Amino acid sequence: MSADGLRVVRRVALVGQPNAGKSTLFNAIVGYRAVAANFPGTTVEALRGQASIGGLRAEVVDLPGTYSLLGGDVAERVTRDFLLSGEADVIVQVVDSSLLGRSLELTLEVAELGLPIVLCLNMMDEAEHKGISIDREKLAALLGVPVVPTVASRGQGLVDLLAAISQAQPVRRPPYTADVERALSQIREAQSSTGRFGDHRAAQLLSGGAPVDLALKEPVEQARRELAEGRGEDPGVILSDERHAQAMRLFEAVATVGKARVGWREKA
C-alpha cells in the first residue's frame, strides 16, 4: 500500500469471456504500443502494455478469453496458470453487461483466487439498448468489489476504472449451499498448506478437474463421495450448478430487464 492507502499496482491482468470487449478495453487503456508474445510452450498469444495507475506505471496483460478457470482447453489453462503464478496484483474482469448473468459465473471462480478484483461492466450501451438496467452499487456491495461501467469502444469510464484498480481489495466469493461448503472445507483442511489459492485448489479437486496428490487422495474422494451420494450427481456438475444458481441470484438482485430500444439497426 502507498502512503495514501492506495494499492501499489505493478501488474494488472484482464480476464473475461470471449467477445466481452476485453481487447478493445486493453487498447483503450494502453494505446497501440502493446507487445505481443506467446506463453511459454504454447501458441496462445498475450498482449502486454503500460498504463498509469495510481500515478505509477503498471503493466497490463490481456489474457486469452475464457469461460471458466476450471476447464481444460489451452486458453483456459493459460489464463489459470498466469493468475496462479502470482504475477498479477489486481484482476480486472471484463464483462459484456448485456450478458451479465452468464458472466457472473466466471466472477465466482475468479473470487476463489482471493486476489483483488475490479468488475468492469463493459458494453453498457448494448445493455441499455436491450433494456437492461444494472444497479452497480448494489452489485459492488454484494460482491465486495469495485464495479465500474464502461463503453471501451468510446473511451467511456476508463478514468474511473483506472482509479478503481488502485482501490481493489482481496475478496471472498458468496457462499454456496451448506453441503457444497462442507465438501470444500473438508478438502481445504486436508491440504497441508492451502497457500494463497486454497479455495481455488479445493474447487478444482472437488470438481475432479485436477490431479490429486497421494496424501489428499482419501479426503478428496471422501468429500466427493459424500456430496455425490447426498445429491445423486457428479460433484463437478453440482459445483457448476451452484455457480450458475448463485450467478442468477446475483443477476436477479441487481438487474432489471425492461423493453428493448428499437433503433436503426432493427429497422434496417
Side-chain angles (χ1 to χ4, degrees):
M1 291 288 182
S2 62
D4 55 7
L6 298 178
R7 178 173 297 277
V8 176
V9 179
R10 296 180 177 83
R11 185 172 289 110
V12 177
L14 300 185
V15 303
Q17 297 177 339
N19 304 313
K22 182 166 54 61
S23 295
T24 301
L25 178 70
F26 174 82
N27 289 330
I29 292 174
V30 308
Y32 290 87
R33 300 178 300 278
V35 176
N38 290 347
F39 285 95
T42 76
T43 58
V44 178
E45 186 178 80
L47 293 174
R48 297 173 182 258
Q50 299 286 321
S52 177
I53 298 175
L56 301 173
R57 301 300 291 177
E59 183 179 53
V60 181
V61 183
D62 183 13
L63 294 172
T66 180
Y67 292 102
S68 172
L69 299 182
L70 298 179
D73 73 27
V74 175
E76 292 171 338
R77 190 166 61 249
V78 163
T79 296
R80 179 177 65 244
D81 289 349
F82 182 87
L83 297 177
L84 291 174
S85 72
E87 292 186 52
D89 297 303
V90 176
I91 299 171
V92 174
Q93 184 193 350
V94 185
V95 168
D96 176 350
S97 297
S98 69
L99 299 172
L100 178 62
R102 187 175 70 182
S103 303
L104 287 171
E105 294 184 46
L106 178 60
T107 306
L108 297 174
E109 289 188 31
V110 172
E112 289 172 354
L113 297 172
L115 294 171
I117 301 170
V118 175
L119 191 63
C120 172
L121 296 182
N122 194 33
M123 302 169 70
M124 282 295 296
D125 54 340
E126 287 295 319
E128 292 168 0
H129 182 79
K130 293 180 180 179
I132 300 172
S133 175
I134 301 170
D135 186 338
R136 66 178 185 86
E137 293 184 356
K138 186 173 183 179
L139 182 58
L142 289 172
L143 289 173
V145 305
V147 177
V148 183
T150 64
V151 182
S153 61
R154 300 177 188 172
Q156 296 176 4
L158 302 186
V159 173
D160 290 339
L161 178 64
L162 293 174
I165 291 173
S166 298
Q167 300 169 359
Q169 300 294 326
V171 297
R172 291 291 300 273
R173 58 161 176 77
Y176 298 130
T177 53
D179 56 347
V180 173
E181 289 293 345
R182 183 166 54 251
L184 290 169
S185 179
Q186 286 177 253
I187 296 175
R188 282 195 301 267
E189 291 172 3
Q191 298 179 75
S192 57
S193 176
T194 58
R196 294 176 64 188
F197 306 114
D199 284 346
H200 171 78
R201 175 66 173 166
Q204 274 193 306
L205 293 171
L206 182 62
S207 67
V212 183
D213 297 336
L214 185 60
L216 289 175
K217 185 175 177 61
E218 184 176 342
V220 168
E221 288 183 350
Q222 180 180 346
R224 283 175 51 82
R225 183 173 59 254
E226 290 177 357
L227 183 59
E229 289 175 352
R231 292 279 194 103
E233 285 188 294
D234 179 82
V237 174
I238 295 170
L239 193 55
S240 178
D241 288 347
E242 287 280 318
R243 289 197 185 94
H244 178 73
Q246 185 71 268
M248 289 302 101
R249 284 193 290 270
L250 286 168
F251 176 78
E252 291 169 1
V254 304
T256 303
V257 182
K259 188 175 181 180
R261 298 178 183 176
V262 178
W264 64 268
R265 287 180 295 182
E266 290 75 19
K267 294 177 180 179

